[in-house]
Amino acid sequence: LNWLKWLVHFFASSATPGMADLDVSRLLAGLQRGAVPGADGSVEFLCKKFSSLIDRLKQAEANEAAERENYTALEAKLQAEEQEADAERRRLEVATLAAREETRQAELTVTEVVEKEMISKEEVMGLKAETEALVHRKRLLEETCRTEHARMGEAQGRLRRQQLSKPQMLE
């Protein structure tokens, strides 16, 4: 009977307020006396319908609770994955910075090596030029030496001839 009162009240609440109270009271009184024709079938139908609706409501609430739990689990999983992604991003940033520093150091080393190579090439070119100048000077000196030897040989030859010719003059 409580179910019935609730159902009647539920359906009556959609009517206008003053009229609903009168109709509900009369309907309730008639149902309790059994004076409303076909009321038993209607009440049974409404009770079944109400039970079905209650079952569907409970199922919907259970589904909603399950969805909330699923949402909570997915939210936790998402947060964990975001934390992992943040950690991975930070690790990659650190690795990138280290690689950039390593690259910068390598570039500095290459620059130093290239500069030293250029200096060495300049030194080698200077030494080659100096060597060529010395070789040229050596040739000139050798030529001068040969010329001087030849002149000295001629001078000695003249001196001997003069010495040889003087004793004959003294005699």
Side-chain angles (χ1 to χ4, degrees):
L1 193 58
N2 284 336
W3 285 79
L4 186 58
K5 285 180 183 179
W6 185 87
L7 276 174
V8 170
H9 178 69
F10 176 75
F11 289 113
S13 66
S14 62
T16 58
M19 207 170 130
D21 290 337
L22 290 176
D23 288 340
V24 171
S25 300
R26 271 191 264 147
L27 184 59
L28 250 163
L31 286 173
Q32 286 175 348
R33 288 187 307 246
V36 178
D40 289 337
S42 294
V43 169
E44 185 178 327
F45 169 77
L46 289 174
C47 286
K48 285 181 183 176
K49 193 68 163 168
F50 181 74
S51 295
S52 170
L53 288 173
I54 292 294
D55 290 342
R56 286 176 57 194
L57 179 64
K58 287 179 182 178
Q59 183 62 40
E61 287 174 345
N63 288 344
E64 185 178 347
E67 288 299 319
R68 278 191 200 123
E69 287 178 19
N70 189 30
Y71 173 80
T72 303
L74 288 174
E75 185 71 23
K77 185 177 179 181
L78 177 65
Q79 286 178 352
E81 287 180 5
E82 285 175 347
Q83 288 174 350
E84 285 179 30
D86 285 344
E88 180 67 14
R89 182 186 46 76
R90 285 190 298 273
R91 186 189 68 74
L92 289 174
E93 285 174 353
V94 168
T96 299
L97 290 175
R100 283 183 182 153
E101 179 60 23
E102 188 177 321
T103 301
R104 189 183 69 76
Q105 290 296 329
E107 287 172 348
L108 287 174
T109 302
V110 167
T111 302
E112 288 175 8
V113 168
V114 167
E115 288 174 356
K116 287 179 182 178
E117 180 184 17
M118 288 173 49
I119 291 170
S120 295
K121 283 182 178 180
E122 289 173 2
E123 288 176 355
V124 167
M125 287 173 45
L127 290 173
K128 279 184 178 180
E130 195 176 316
T131 302
E132 288 174 4
L134 289 174
V135 166
H136 181 66
R137 181 164 167 98
K138 177 185 169 196
R139 286 185 191 140
L140 290 176
L141 288 174
E142 286 174 345
E143 184 65 32
T144 303
C145 189
R146 277 193 297 271
T147 305
E148 291 297 318
H149 274 20
R151 280 179 53 193
M152 188 173 77
E154 288 175 13
Q156 283 178 351
R158 274 188 295 213
L159 185 62
R160 273 193 193 156
R161 275 183 274 176
Q162 278 180 351
Q163 287 176 350
L164 288 176
S165 62
K166 274 189 184 179
Q168 285 176 352
M169 286 189 174
L170 292 171
E171 287 175 19

